[in-house]
Amino acid sequence: GQQLNQSPQSMFIQEGEDVSMNCTSSSIFNTWLWYKQDPGEGPVLLIALYKAGELTSNGRLTAQFGITRKDSFLNISASIPSDVGIYFCAGQMNSGTYKYIFGTGTRLKVLA
Amino acid sequence: SAVISQKPSRDICQRGTSLTIQCQVDSQVTMMFWYRQQPGQSLTLIATANQGSEATYESGFVIDKFPISRPNLTFSTLTVSNMSPEDSSIYLCSVESETQYFGPGTRLLVL
């Protein structure tokens, strides 16, 4: 199926560092979601974005809905070991269908 | 938000057999979905489970292989039929409740 391009694919960072990842597409989206998946668990919703240019925070996490509606960004500030996991973006093209296309994922590893 | 549970949480099955996965939500929801996540991969939508009518399948997925039931607004099942090792994946139920929430997943290994 169709997937969104997410980068970086994986990253190792030191505890305390800030992290940035992004999701891009050639298509326009109406909604962007960001999820975190821990090993052996289902994805957990972190942030939902509904308007172009929207900037939303959830604790140390901040996400933005790109102004072109073709991309989204997630930043994690002052990373901690429990930030380890896989982060997925998901985009919805048509509001009426409730169907989402998922990114390829960013695997984050935090070194204490 | 919505609280979603899935059964079983994991299973090991022999090829040629079938497994039915259950998804239970703590509130009534209109939209329920089934996803597959192959090892080390992202999530792929299998189908939308429609209450009172046949599920709507995505390209590459068919009803004979993945029959789905949706008897009411809080429950759905996905059956993985005539399994092969290629069906080894995590199967995830999700619901639309203001936004999309996922269950914990069912980890299936087919030998």
Side-chain angles (χ1 to χ4, degrees):
Chain A
Q2 186 179 355
Q3 287 186 336
L4 298 171
N5 295 318
Q6 201 171 332
S7 72
Q9 186 174 23
S10 65
M11 55 196 312
F12 284 86
I13 60 168
Q14 292 287 336
E15 183 177 359
E17 286 184 350
D18 296 345
V19 175
S20 291
M21 60 190 78
N22 68 74
C23 205
T24 60
S25 171
S26 57
S27 302
I28 290 174
F29 289 89
N30 293 328
T31 300
W32 285 96
L33 305 177
W34 283 92
Y35 291 89
K36 178 175 182 269
Q37 187 176 28
D38 292 327
E41 304 289 332
V44 173
L45 182 68
L46 300 173
I47 293 178
L49 302 162
Y50 300 105
K51 285 171 54 176
E54 180 181 353
L55 187 71
T56 298
S57 294
N58 178 7
R60 292 179 296 107
L61 277 62
T62 301
Q64 185 162 23
F65 194 140
I67 198 70
T68 66
R69 296 170 61 195
K70 293 182 179 181
D71 55 13
S72 181
F73 307 87
L74 176 69
N75 296 312
I76 305 172
S77 62
S79 58
I80 59 178
S82 62
D83 290 334
V84 165
I86 305 176
Y87 292 80
F88 289 103
C89 63
Q92 182 190 60
M93 281 197 280
N94 301 309
S95 301
T97 65
Y98 303 105
K99 287 165 52 172
Y100 290 85
I101 299 168
F102 278 77
T104 47
T106 294
R107 187 179 299 271
L108 179 64
K109 299 184 182 180
V110 180
L111 306 174
Chain B
S1 65
V3 178
I4 305 166
S5 60
Q6 285 186 234
K7 285 193 222 180
S9 59
R10 62 180 65 239
D11 208 343
I12 300 173
C13 300
Q14 296 295 322
R15 68 173 66 209
T17 63
S18 298
L19 176 72
T20 295
I21 302 167
Q22 299 179 5
C23 177
Q24 180 76 53
V25 191
D26 68 339
S27 58
Q28 293 187 340
V29 293
T30 303
M31 310 295 291
M32 291 181 78
F33 306 91
W34 287 98
Y35 285 82
R36 181 175 72 183
Q37 186 177 25
Q38 294 178 301
Q41 302 296 314
S42 185
L43 287 73
T44 301
L45 181 63
I46 297 172
T48 303
N50 302 309
Q51 195 265 330
S53 64
E54 195 170 280
T56 305
Y57 290 83
E58 297 301 305
S59 175
F61 298 96
V62 295
I63 187 170
D64 290 347
K65 176 66 177 177
F66 297 102
I68 288 170
S69 79
R70 177 89 193 271
N72 56 52
L73 293 175
T74 63
F75 186 79
S76 178
T77 67
L78 169 75
T79 298
V80 187
S81 303
N82 188 24
M83 289 183 284
S84 67
E86 292 71 35
D87 294 319
S88 298
S89 290
I90 301 171
Y91 292 87
L92 293 151
C93 168
S94 76
V95 304
E96 181 72 25
S97 177
E98 297 183 357
T99 187
Q100 190 149 137
Y101 297 94
F102 282 86
T106 295
R107 279 139 197 84
L108 172 61
L109 176 63
V110 183
L111 301 177

